[in-house]
Amino acid sequence: MFILYGFMIVAVITDLRFGKISNRLILTGIGVALIRRLLQEACVGLLTGVIQISFPVIILYLFFLIGALGAGDIKLFSLVGGFVNFRELVTCIMAAFVLGAVWALVKLLISRRLFCCIRSGSKYLWSVMGGDREGYRKTSENTIPFSVVILGGLIVAVCCC
């Protein structure tokens, strides 16, 4: 787990500093996770690892398409999936979304922009239901560094599972 936390801390630092998570970091972490699984659990562990790494990509792809989640964040969930069991992965994803929602709500309340964002979010949902595929407007004031809440979700998952 210390290796995973090391990758996560580096991802958080680069996300906070540059607004991106390095593909090299993610691929290195996934490679380490798969090698670890292969050495500890043989082919079954490798197969399980590949499935768990793929799971976040499959279930979170829609969030990426609408612009609600960045590709780096999804890849970071995949990195987590390489190191933890399936229950911890699902708990991490759910906890991260709850933590992210709380953080975003507090941020909007403090900036007094909650109702403005609710209105623009509603307009966006109506446009998507009408067939518009344009992503949700992403500005720096409307986003949070999701790697931080993924790390929080991982901590919750490891402590609770």
Side-chain angles (χ1 to χ4, degrees):
M1 288 305 281
F2 289 114
I3 295 170
L4 174 58
Y5 283 119
F7 281 111
M8 293 297 293
I9 289 168
V10 172
V12 167
I13 291 168
T14 58
D15 192 17
L16 291 172
R17 225 166 159 204
F18 306 110
K20 289 181 71 172
I21 300 170
S22 164
N23 284 336
R24 188 173 294 152
L25 174 72
I26 298 293
L27 290 174
T28 302
I30 288 174
V32 168
L34 290 176
I35 290 169
R36 181 185 128 307
R37 283 186 179 265
L38 182 62
L39 293 175
Q40 289 180 347
E41 305 165 34
C43 292
V44 173
L46 184 62
L47 179 61
T48 302
V50 169
I51 291 168
Q52 287 182 199
I53 288 166
S54 304
F55 179 75
V57 176
I58 294 165
I59 66 162
L60 299 174
Y61 185 66
L62 180 62
F63 290 97
F64 169 73
L65 284 179
I66 64 173
L69 202 58
D73 302 321
I74 295 172
K75 291 182 276 188
L76 197 56
F77 277 125
S78 292
L79 172 63
V80 170
F83 282 92
V84 300
N85 64 44
F86 188 74
R87 183 177 179 181
E88 290 170 330
L89 174 60
V90 171
T91 303
C92 174
I93 292 170
M94 292 182 346
F97 274 93
V98 170
L99 292 171
V102 169
W103 184 356
L105 179 62
V106 168
K107 184 176 178 179
L108 289 172
L109 287 171
I110 289 171
S111 68
R112 299 178 186 217
R113 299 184 53 245
L114 178 63
F115 294 111
C116 173
C117 286
I118 289 174
R119 186 178 62 234
S120 65
S122 298
K123 286 180 184 177
Y124 171 71
L125 287 175
W126 280 109
S127 69
V128 167
M129 289 171 33
D132 187 4
R133 292 188 177 188
E134 185 177 322
Y136 189 69
R137 184 181 64 156
K138 290 176 93 174
T139 61
S140 60
E141 68 229 17
N142 290 339
T143 60
I144 58 172
F146 210 69
S147 61
V148 175
V149 294
I150 295 172
L151 177 58
L154 175 63
I155 293 168
V156 168
V158 169
C159 291
C160 293
C161 292

